[in-house]
Amino acid sequence: KQEVTQIPAALSVPEGENLVLNCSFTDSAIYNLQWFRQDPGKGLTSLLLIQSSQREQTSGRLNASLDKSSGRSTLYIAASQPGDSATYLCAVRDNNDMRFGAGTRLTVKP
Amino acid sequence: SAVISQKPSRDICQRGTSLTIQCQVDSQVTMMFWYRQQPGQSLTLIATANQGSEATYESGFVIDKFPISRPNLTFSTLTVSNMSPEDSSIYLCSVEGEAGSYGYTFGSGTRLTVV
């Protein structure tokens, strides 16, 4: 059974810092990995989708990498802003379904 | 990607009552997924809803408690029945992208508080 772990559980940084969020998964036989953002009490907004054949995806200040063989993904956020404060979830799609990590709660202080 | 309209966005309900959550998708999709997110937790899949057939429920979830309707390829409802405070959660519907992508799109969520 696929298990997804996110480290750290919470992170607080000053505005302007570059930061990395980590996601690991136990079964490398995946279709894709997706990073989401969730604001308090709200739904999920898709940030980046990496197919199993890809190594990374970029969107603006966000860059996500995927190392399938080691079961790891990272989400890099450049020049963080207070508006980036949210919970970031990674999710892995495999042959059975989609599994979510518990998320990293990010706070960017002005 | 698909756009999902989910409502209500939030509600406060009395113990023992039921609430029906609706999701409308702007395109036809084969499967729709319903998730629960308990406070401070990640998402747990409740069931998969296929048009024209019974929903498939995950372990720990039953139809009597969470009846689902899927009358057509763009709409689904989830009912939370006979609610208790333990049902206080965010409920989300989701659809999967087209073949070759398989990325998921989520509705805006329903924040339910049972008192």
Side-chain angles (χ1 to χ4, degrees):
Chain A
K1 179 180 169 181
Q2 182 78 264
E3 293 184 5
V4 182
T5 304
Q6 290 187 247
I7 295 173
L11 181 64
S12 180
V13 300
E15 181 177 5
E17 269 203 11
N18 303 324
L19 58 101
V20 175
L21 308 181
N22 297 290
C23 174
S24 62
F25 47 97
T26 55
D27 187 345
S28 62
I30 65 171
Y31 288 161
N32 61 48
L33 184 145
Q34 199 165 356
W35 282 94
F36 294 91
R37 169 188 171 133
Q38 185 177 31
D39 292 294
K42 303 295 185 181
L44 276 64
T45 300
S46 179
L47 298 173
L48 290 164
L49 170 67
I50 311 177
Q51 302 295 342
S52 62
S53 59
Q54 297 174 325
R55 299 283 297 200
E56 66 177 347
Q57 284 286 328
T58 298
S59 176
R61 294 183 294 108
L62 305 179
N63 176 276
S65 68
L66 174 64
D67 185 342
K68 223 174 56 164
S69 60
S70 67
R72 295 176 187 273
S73 176
T74 61
L75 178 67
Y76 175 82
I77 302 177
S80 58
Q81 303 171 357
D84 295 330
S85 298
T87 297
Y88 291 80
L89 295 158
C90 74
V92 172
R93 175 77 165 89
D94 61 18
N95 193 43
N96 296 311
D97 54 26
M98 182 171 240
R99 293 280 172 181
F100 287 82
T104 294
R105 189 172 68 254
L106 173 65
T107 303
V108 181
K109 299 177 180 177
Chain B
S1 60
V3 176
I4 304 175
S5 299
Q6 182 174 345
K7 59 182 181 181
S9 59
R10 61 192 310 158
D11 208 341
I12 301 174
C13 299
Q14 294 292 323
R15 183 194 301 254
T17 62
S18 298
L19 175 72
T20 296
I21 302 166
Q22 300 179 4
C23 274
Q24 178 76 52
V25 189
D26 68 346
S27 58
Q28 293 185 341
V29 293
T30 304
M31 293 190 293
M32 293 181 71
F33 307 93
W34 287 97
Y35 286 86
R36 180 176 73 180
Q37 187 180 31
Q38 294 176 299
Q41 305 292 316
S42 191
L43 279 72
T44 301
L45 181 64
I46 298 171
T48 301
N50 294 314
Q51 193 269 334
S53 64
E54 292 271 338
T56 304
Y57 288 83
E58 297 298 304
S59 175
F61 297 96
V62 295
I63 188 172
D64 289 347
K65 176 67 176 177
F66 297 101
I68 288 172
S69 78
R70 185 80 203 276
N72 57 53
L73 291 173
T74 63
F75 187 79
S76 180
T77 68
L78 170 76
T79 299
V80 186
S81 303
N82 188 25
M83 289 183 285
S84 67
E86 292 70 36
D87 294 319
S88 297
S89 296
I90 299 172
Y91 292 86
L92 301 117
C93 62
S94 176
V95 300
E96 190 172 32
E98 65 276 9
S101 158
Y102 299 113
Y104 276 52
T105 301
F106 282 81
S108 54
T110 296
R111 188 172 192 173
L112 171 62
T113 302
V114 183
V115 297

